[in-house]
Amino acid sequence: MPEDETQPQTRTATRPQSPQTATATDSAMDSPAPRTAQTAAGSAGPAPWALRLVAVGLVLTALNLRPAITSLGALLEEVRDGLHMSGSLAGVLTSVPPLCFAVFGIMAPRLARRFGPGAVVCAGMVAIGAGLVIRPFVGSTAGFLAASALALMGIAVSNILMPVIVKRWFPDRVGSMTGLYSMALALGTALAAAVTVPMTDALGGSWKAGLGIWAALAAAAVLPWIPLMRDGRGAAGQATAQQHGDAPALRITRSRTAWGLACFFGLQATAAYIAMGWMPQIFRDAGVSAGTAGVLLAVTMAMGVPLAFVIPRVAARMKNQGPIVVFLCACGLVGYAGLYFAPAGGAWAWALLLGIANCAFPLALTMIGMRSRSGAGVVRLSAFAQSTGYLISIPGPLLVGVLYQHSGGWGLPIALMAGLMVPQMVAGILAGRDRTIEDEC
C-alpha cells in the first residue's frame, strides 16, 4: 500500500476520516462503513482485510472500464463488414460510449445513496459481463448497439463511483489510490487493444469470439464486491442519515472550477474515444497492418500504466495542476502534427506522444478528488464533471467519422483533433487552480 500523502489531506479532507466518521460531516452518501468492517474494527476504522479487499476491487473494476471499447476499436473494420455498417454509422458506434456515460452516469449518485457504492459497482460489473457476452451474437446493428449500451451502463456508474470509493475508504491517500486504479484502467485499456486481434486469430478468426472473451474479466471483478455490498444504505445507514441529516446541496453549476473540470474532462474524453475508436484505422489506412495498428493503439494506452500512477501522486502534491495540463496538451499537439504529416513513418513516436496526452484522464480524476473538501462534495463533483464532460465528448467521434467518409482522408479529422487541444488546455488550467467548489457555491 502506498505511503500516506500530505497534500491530499490539505485539499480533499481537512482531517483523515474513516468511513464510520464521515457521516457526521458529509452527506448521506458518506454512510457508515460496511458492517463487516465495523464488526471487525469497531470504532478504530475498517479492518485491514476490508481495505485490502476494496483495493483489489478497485483494481479489478478499473481493468474492466475500457476493454469493451478498445477491443471494438481493434476489430472495427471486421465489425463494420460483419454488420454492414457505413463509415458514418461506425462513427455513431464510436460515439455510443460517451453518450451512455453521460446518460447513465447521472444515475450513479442516487443509486449509491439507495444501495451503497459497493453494491452499485458490483451490479455494474455484472452488466458489463452480460453486455459483452450478448453483443457479438445478436446479429444486427441495433442489437449490437443495445448490448453495448448495457455494458457501457455498467462502466458509466463505476466511472462515477470510483473517486467516491477512494475518498470514502482512503481519504488520506487520494493521490496514491487514484493512481493505482488509473494505472489498472490504463493496463486494461492497453491489453484489450494489444491482444484482441491475436486472440481473435487464436480463436479461429471470429471477431465475435474476440469481443465476447472479455466478459470473463468482468466476471472476475464481481467477486471482491460481494462481501462489500452492505457498504451502503441499509437500515443502519438510513437511520444514521435521518439522525444527522443530509448536508445542504451544493449549487455546483455556480462553480467555475466545476465547469472547468467538466470541460477539461469532456475534451480529454473526446480525444481518448477518437483515439480508441479510430486510431487503428488511421494507421491501417496509412499502410500499417491490422496487428501492428492494434499494437500501436496498445502503446498509446500503455503509456497510462506508469504515468497514471505517477501523475496523480505528483498532482496531489501541487497546489496548482496547470503546468501538468500544459505539458500533456503540448505532447498531444506534437503527436497530432506527426500523425498528420507522417502517420506511418513516425507511428511509434506519435503513439507514445498521444499516450502521454491521454494521461489527462487520471489527472482529471485526481482534481475531482482535490476540488472538494468532503466526500459529499466529491460525489456531486464527480457526477457533474463526468456526466457533463461525456455529453461534451459525444459529437467528437461521430464528427471524425463523417469528416473521414466525406473528405476521403484523415487530414481534416486530425486537424480537428489537434484544434480541440487548445480549449482543453484552457479548461484544464482553470480546473487546476488551488480552490474548492465549496469556495464558489
Side-chain angles (χ1 to χ4, degrees), residues 126-136 144 146-152 215:
V126 173
I128 293 171
L132 292 182
V133 166
I134 294 169
R135 78 173 180 177
F144 190 93
S148 295
L150 175 62
L152 293 167

Side-chain angles (χ1 to χ4, degrees), residues 220-320:
V222 172
L223 302 178
W225 296 108
I226 293 175
L228 300 166
M229 286 184 64
R230 303 190 71 179
D231 170 18
R233 306 278 305 170
Q238 292 177 357
T240 305
Q242 293 171 359
Q243 177 181 355
H244 293 288
D246 290 342
L250 294 170
R251 297 182 179 181
I252 202 164
T253 55
R254 291 185 175 183
S255 169
R256 293 183 179 180
T257 297
W259 279 108
L261 259 175
C263 292
F264 179 67
F265 194 96
L267 290 168
Q268 67 80 29
T270 299
Y273 288 108
I274 289 174
M276 285 186 279
W278 290 109
M279 192 170 158
Q281 193 67 49
I282 294 174
F283 286 123
R284 291 175 75 168
D285 286 352
V288 177
S289 69
T292 303
V295 173
L296 285 166
L297 177 59
V299 168
T300 297
M301 300 300 133
M303 289 303 298
V305 176
L307 292 180
F309 188 70
V310 173
I311 287 177
R313 292 173 66 89
V314 174
R317 288 172 167 80
M318 298 174 66
K319 290 186 176 181
N320 189 319

Side-chain angles (χ1 to χ4, degrees), residues 162-382:
M162 296 285 269
V164 177
I165 291 172
V166 167
K167 175 74 174 183
R168 179 176 175 183
W169 286 87
F170 307 96
D172 55 343
R173 299 176 182 176
V174 171
S176 294
M177 297 308 298
T178 300
L180 180 64
Y181 81 73
S182 297
M183 182 174 65
L185 190 151
L187 179 60
T189 305
L191 280 175
V195 307
T196 295
V197 171
M199 191 163 54
T200 300
D201 294 338
L203 293 171
S206 169
W207 62 266
K208 295 181 179 181
L211 293 182
I213 193 66
W214 291 102
L217 185 61
V222 172
L223 302 178
W225 296 108
I226 293 175
L228 300 166
M229 286 184 64
R230 303 190 71 179
D231 170 18
R233 306 278 305 170
Q238 292 177 357
T240 305
Q242 293 171 359
Q243 177 181 355
H244 293 288
D246 290 342
L250 294 170
R251 297 182 179 181
I252 202 164
T253 55
R254 291 185 175 183
S255 169
R256 293 183 179 180
T257 297
W259 279 108
L261 259 175
C263 292
F264 179 67
F265 194 96
L267 290 168
Q268 67 80 29
T270 299
Y273 288 108
I274 289 174
M276 285 186 279
W278 290 109
M279 192 170 158
Q281 193 67 49
I282 294 174
F283 286 123
R284 291 175 75 168
D285 286 352
V288 177
S289 69
T292 303
V295 173
L296 285 166
L297 177 59
V299 168
T300 297
M301 300 300 133
M303 289 303 298
V305 176
L307 292 180
F309 188 70
V310 173
I311 287 177
R313 292 173 66 89
V314 174
R317 288 172 167 80
M318 298 174 66
K319 290 186 176 181
N320 189 319
Q321 290 76 42
I324 303 179
V325 171
V326 172
F327 171 74
L328 296 178
C329 290
C331 289
L333 287 171
V334 175
Y336 286 129
L339 207 57
Y340 184 94
F341 291 107
W348 296 101
W350 318 142
L352 287 170
L353 286 168
L354 292 174
I356 295 172
N358 276 346
C359 288
F361 176 73
L363 176 62
L365 293 180
T366 305
M367 290 195 289
I368 288 173
M370 296 178 68
R371 296 285 93 92
S372 176
R373 298 192 188 104
S374 69
V378 169
V379 71
R380 293 187 182 105
L381 181 57
S382 181

Side-chain angles (χ1 to χ4, degrees), residues 94-150:
T94 59
S95 293
V96 169
L99 174 62
C100 290
F101 293 166
V103 172
F104 297 123
I106 297 172
M107 303 161 48
R110 180 173 296 181
L111 290 172
R113 284 194 297 269
R114 175 66 180 86
F115 301 105
V120 175
V121 171
C122 184
M125 295 300 102
V126 173
I128 293 171
L132 292 182
V133 166
I134 294 169
R135 78 173 180 177
F137 303 103
V138 290
S140 67
T141 300
F144 190 93
L145 289 171
S148 295
L150 175 62

Side-chain angles (χ1 to χ4, degrees), residues 19-20 23 28 30-35 38 168 230-232 236-238 240-241:
Q20 290 88 337
T23 312
D30 293 309
S31 56
R35 291 184 182 182
Q38 287 178 320
R168 179 176 175 183
R230 303 190 71 179
D231 170 18
Q238 292 177 357
T240 305

